[in-house]
Amino acid sequence: MEAPTAVKCSGARVPKEETKRRQSSSSVTKEASEGEVVHIIEAWTPGAYTALKAILSARLCAAIWGIITDCDETYNYWEPTHFLLYGKGFQTWEYSPEYALRSYTYLLVHAVPGWIYSSLLQSNRMLVFFFIRCMLALGSSAAELFFYKGICKEFGSNIGRLSLSIIVFASGMFIAATAFLPSSFAMYMTLLSMGAWYHQRHELAIFTTAISAFLGWPFAAAIGIPIAYDIVFRKQQIRMFIKWCAISCATILVPMIQIDSQYFGRLVIAPWNIVYYNVFTSHGPDLYGTAPWSFYFVNGFLNFNFVFPAALISLPLQVLCSHILSVPPKRLSTGVPMWLALSPMYLWLIIFILQPHKEERFLFPIYPLICLAGALTIDCCQKLFFYLFCEKKGHYLNHTNWLSMSVIIVISLLSISRTIGQYRAYHAPVETFLELNRLALEEDYPTERPINVCVGREWHRFPSSFFLPGLNWNLQFIRSEFRGQLPQPYLEEANGTQVHPPYMNNLNQEELTRYAPLSSCHFLIDLDRTDETEREPRYAKFSSNWTVIHRVPFMDTARSDRLLRAFYVPFLTEQHCHYIDYSLMQSTRWKPKSRYPGRL
C-alpha cells in the first residue's frame, strides 16, 4: 500500500525529453533497469507558479489586513525600526546598552528596504509600514514555495498538495507569515532549512539554520538538531558539517557582532545575551506571566483547528499504518526515517511546553511542520480507509480523493472563519489610527508644536509610530491598572542607541516616569468598558472634558460566546457576541481650525 501502483512496459527506451513531465501532471515515468520503463500513477499537484500565486495571494492579504497580535511586535521591533528610519520611537529595556538583548542587525534587514522605499518612492510612513509587511509576505511566500517543492520531492505528490492547501488557508500561517518578529523570521528559515534537507542540499540546510539561530532567535537552533544528526551520524559528513558551521559563524555572527556593538557602543553578542537572560538568570521571562501546559494545545487548535491534533498523532499513526498494512516503516527517498523527519516538531513542542512562560509566537517556527504533519495524517487515513473499506483494485488515491478533499474543505472553512473573526473583532486599533490620520489631513493642526495622543489600558494595542500623523505627534501613556514597566522614547540624538537611558530595569517594575498628566493630552484613545476603577475611569462619559469623535466596535470577550468569538459564523456571531466602543476622543479644551470650514 505504501507505493503507488506500477505498470511495467517492455520495449524501446523513452527519450529523455519524453520522460520529463510537469510536476502538475497526473503521472510520471521512471526508467527501470534493462531498458524497462515503469509508469507510476501519482496525484496531481499544482505547479510551482500556481502554488506561488496561491501562497502570495494569502500572504499579501495578511500584510494588509492582518492585525498585530503581540505588543512585543510593536515595541520591540516596529518602534526601534521607526527610530532608525525617522529618529523617533520607543525603546524597551531590551535595547538598553546595559542589557542589549535584541539585535539591531535584525532590524536593519527590515529597515534598509523601508528606507530605500521611503527615499525613492513615497514618504508616507504608513505606506512604509505596509511596504515592509508586503516584503515579509514576499519572503515568506518564496520560502513556503521551496518547502512545498521539497515536500513533493520527499513525501510524494499527495502529501505535497495537502500541505499546500493547509499552509495557504491556516489561520496560524496568516498571523505568523507577516509578523515582524524573530519567531516569524525563524519560521522562514525553518521553511528553507527543512526544504533544503528534503532536497539533500545539506550546506544550505546548515547555513539557514545558522541564520535562524544567530540573526533570528537563538532557540531556533533546536529545530536543526535532527538535521545535524542526519548529516553527522547517519551520513558521516563531519568535515562538511564543521566547514559550513565555520562559514556560517564567519559570514553571519561576526558581522552581526560588529554591527550590534557599533549601535550599542560596546561589545555585544545579542544571541548569547538573550539565551543567558532566559536560561541562566533567576527570574528570566517568568516575570511576564506563566501559563498551564494546555496553553499550546488550545492555541494550536485555534490557529490550525483539526490539523493540530492530527499533527500531534502523525508519528504514532505512521507506525500504526505500517503495522496494519504490513509494510516496513516509511523512509524518505533520501533514506531519512519518518521519525527523524518529524522529530523537529515534537522536539520543539516538548521544549516549550515545559517552559512556564508561554506565548503564541513561540510556536511560530514550527507552524510549517504542523501543516506537514497534519497532511501526513490525512494521507495515512486515506490509506487505512482504502485498506479497510475499499475493494483492493487500483491505487488508493483513486478511491479516497473525496475523503481528503472533504477534510481540506472543512479545515479551510474553519481557518477562514477564524481569520475573518479575528479581524472583525479586533481591527479597531488600526482603524482608529487611520481615522486620526484622516482628521489630521482635514483639520489645521499645528506642525511646530507637539500633539499628544494618550493611551491608558490600551497601550498594548498601539500599532506603532508609523500610524501617527506626523513627527510632531507623540504617544503618551497615562496611568492604568497595568503596573509593569512601559517603554520610553529613545533620546533623539545621533547616538541615541548608545546612550544608557535612565529609569530602566529588567525586573518589569513599574516606572512612574513613563506617565504623562491627563491635562497634557490632546487626544485620548480608550476602550469604553462598563467596569471602572480609579485608574481606569470611563473617559467617554466625561463629556465636559472629552468629545468622542470616532467609535469602532470591539469585541467584549468577557460577555461573548467562547466558540463564536473564536470562529466567525455569519449571523450567529452577531447574535451571541457583544461589542463595546473603541473610542477616539478629543479634548474639549483644544479645538484646531478646520481646513474645510463647510465640512462637518
Side-chain angles (χ1 to χ4, degrees):
M1 305 305 302
E2 196 61 43
T5 304
V7 181
K8 292 189 177 181
C9 312
S10 300
R13 297 174 63 86
V14 178
K16 183 179 292 186
E17 60 273 10
E18 291 287 337
T19 64
K20 291 183 178 180
R21 304 292 184 99
R22 293 175 56 189
Q23 188 179 27
S24 59
S25 63
S26 61
S27 64
V28 296
T29 303
K30 293 186 179 179
E31 294 187 5
S33 58
E34 299 181 0
E36 290 185 324
V37 175
V38 181
H39 191 70
I40 301 179
I41 299 173
E42 287 193 355
W44 173 87
T45 55
Y49 181 59
T50 302
L52 179 61
K53 287 191 293 184
I55 296 169
L56 187 57
S57 298
R59 299 300 163 253
L60 289 175
C61 288
I64 302 301
W65 288 292
I67 60 175
I68 295 178
T69 60
D70 193 326
C71 63
D72 249 24
E73 181 178 353
T74 293
Y75 292 108
N76 270 330
Y77 303 101
W78 284 114
E79 283 300 303
T81 300
H82 189 273
F83 176 78
L84 294 178
L85 291 173
Y86 301 104
K88 188 174 182 178
F90 280 99
Q91 181 182 25
T92 63
W93 69 269
E94 291 101 319
Y95 285 93
S96 170
E98 182 179 353
Y99 306 109
L101 264 65
R102 306 296 179 183
S103 170
Y104 282 101
T105 309
Y106 170 72
L107 296 180
L108 289 171
V109 171
H110 303 76
V112 170
W115 176 80
I116 294 173
Y117 173 81
S118 178
S119 301
L120 297 181
L121 300 178
Q122 179 59 254
S123 60
N124 185 299
R125 290 181 297 149
M126 275 197 301
L127 293 183
V128 174
F129 173 92
F130 286 111
F131 170 78
I132 294 175
R133 269 199 156 191
C134 289
M135 182 187 69
L136 294 174
L138 182 60
S140 179
S141 299
E144 290 172 62
L145 178 64
F146 184 64
F147 182 67
Y148 161 68
K149 293 172 69 176
I151 292 173
C152 290
K153 176 180 180 296
E154 285 299 281
F155 294 88
S157 300
N158 188 48
I159 296 169
R161 65 181 181 178
L162 291 172
S163 299
L164 177 65
S165 301
I166 297 170
I167 284 172
V168 168
F169 290 104
S171 181
M173 293 296 296
F174 184 91
I175 295 169
T178 56
F180 187 3
L181 289 166
S183 49
S184 286
F185 184 82
M187 185 189 78
Y188 307 156
M189 295 301 110
T190 296
L191 289 161
L192 293 177
S193 61
M194 291 293 135
W197 191 22
Y198 302 154
H199 282 96
Q200 301 183 60
R201 297 169 62 178
H202 296 129
E203 296 86 352
L204 180 61
I206 296 169
F207 191 70
T208 49
T209 300
I211 294 176
S212 182
F214 292 146
L215 190 57
W217 199 20
F219 303 104
I223 295 176
I225 292 175
I227 300 176
Y229 175 83
D230 181 49
I231 295 172
V232 174
F233 295 101
R234 297 188 70 255
K235 294 185 169 60
Q236 298 291 310
Q237 298 180 359
I238 301 174
R239 291 185 61 184
M240 184 273 288
F241 180 79
I242 295 174
K243 172 186 173 183
W244 276 91
C245 286
I247 291 173
S248 300
C249 288
T251 57
I252 304 167
L253 184 59
V254 172
M256 183 177 173
I257 293 173
Q258 292 177 332
I259 294 171
D260 288 339
S261 299
Q262 180 177 353
Y263 273 94
F264 283 110
R266 67 178 183 88
L267 179 65
V268 167
I269 306 175
W272 163 247
N273 288 349
I274 195 168
V275 170
Y276 180 81
Y277 173 78
N278 283 277
V279 178
F280 299 107
T281 59
S282 58
H283 47 79
D286 297 353
L287 289 170
Y288 301 93
T290 59
W293 64 270
S294 59
F295 175 87
Y296 287 130
F297 294 95
V298 175
N299 193 262
F301 185 84
L302 290 174
N303 284 326
F304 291 96
N305 54 77
F306 295 109
V307 173
F308 188 73
L312 296 181
I313 65 171
S314 180
L315 187 56
L317 194 61
Q318 292 285 332
V319 176
L320 178 64
C321 191
S322 298
H323 176 72
I324 293 177
L325 301 180
S326 300
V327 295
K330 185 174 181 179
R331 288 175 174 264
L332 308 187
S333 63
T334 55
V336 176
M338 185 61 72
W339 69 265
L340 186 60
L342 290 174
S343 60
M345 181 190 73
Y346 289 106
L347 179 62
W348 190 266
L349 285 171
I350 291 171
I351 291 172
F352 280 90
I353 287 173
L354 294 176
Q355 306 307 310
H357 179 63
K358 298 176 177 66
E359 295 189 35
E360 176 182 352
R361 58 192 168 95
F362 291 171
L363 292 193
F364 283 5
I366 61 164
Y367 274 7
L369 303 181
I370 292 172
C371 298
L372 169 60
L376 284 164
T377 295
I378 297 172
D379 182 70
C380 270
C381 291
Q382 289 181 264
K383 291 175 181 176
L384 290 172
F385 184 89
F386 174 71
Y387 180 81
L388 297 173
F389 302 107
C390 297
E391 188 177 354
K392 309 305 182 290
K393 290 183 179 180
H395 193 270
Y396 78 96
L397 292 178
N398 293 337
H399 299 269
T400 60
N401 272 333
W402 66 270
L403 178 61
S404 62
M405 186 176 296
S406 300
V407 172
I408 289 298
I409 289 173
V410 170
I411 61 179
S412 297
L413 288 175
L414 286 172
S415 295
I416 293 171
S417 169
R418 171 69 178 174
T419 301
I420 293 175
Q422 290 294 286
Y423 175 79
R424 287 175 59 91
Y426 306 116
H427 75 285
V430 170
E431 184 74 20
T432 300
F433 277 91
L434 291 175
E435 175 66 16
L436 188 63
N437 277 268
R438 186 188 67 80
L439 288 172
L441 292 175
E442 294 183 356
E443 304 291 339
D444 191 16
Y445 294 119
T447 57
E448 71 284 352
R449 290 188 295 130
I451 300 175
N452 295 329
V453 181
C454 295
V455 290
R457 59 180 144 201
E458 289 304 299
W459 68 271
H460 61 288
R461 293 194 177 102
F462 175 52
S464 79
S465 295
F466 286 91
F467 286 83
L468 291 175
L471 291 177
N472 65 313
W473 291 64
N474 305 305
L475 185 78
Q476 298 285 358
F477 301 119
I478 57 176
R479 289 176 181 269
S480 69
E481 292 300 330
F482 176 74
R483 305 298 176 95
Q485 180 179 208
L486 291 167
Q488 68 179 11
Y490 276 95
L491 294 177
E492 296 180 23
E493 301 176 4
N495 63 338
T497 62
Q498 299 179 6
V499 177
H500 288 249
Y503 311 110
M504 282 284 193
N505 68 82
N506 66 345
L507 299 175
N508 197 27
Q509 294 175 345
E510 184 178 24
E511 291 287 352
L512 299 180
T513 56
R514 303 293 195 268
Y515 301 120
L518 188 60
S519 59
S520 67
C521 301
H522 302 100
F523 292 91
L524 177 61
I525 294 174
D526 191 43
L527 188 61
D528 191 21
R529 294 185 181 275
T530 55
D531 53 317
E532 296 183 73
T533 66
E534 183 181 353
R535 280 185 164 222
E536 294 181 354
R538 291 185 65 185
Y539 295 102
K541 74 178 185 180
F542 300 143
S543 56
S544 59
N545 296 325
W546 301 100
T547 302
V548 178
I549 56 178
H550 189 68
R551 292 186 177 96
V552 185
F554 188 93
M555 182 171 286
D556 185 357
T557 56
R559 297 190 299 142
S560 298
D561 182 86
R562 294 186 66 181
L563 181 62
L564 292 174
R565 82 184 189 212
F567 296 94
Y568 175 73
V569 180
F571 306 112
L572 291 179
T573 295
E574 283 84 353
Q575 290 178 12
H576 297 280
C577 293
H578 297 269
Y579 295 84
I580 50 182
D581 289 334
Y582 200 88
S583 302
L584 171 62
M585 293 165 276
Q586 183 173 305
S587 173
T588 56
R589 298 186 300 274
W590 184 76
K591 287 189 177 181
K593 297 179 180 179
S594 174
R595 292 180 181 175
Y596 308 96
R599 183 176 296 179
L600 296 178

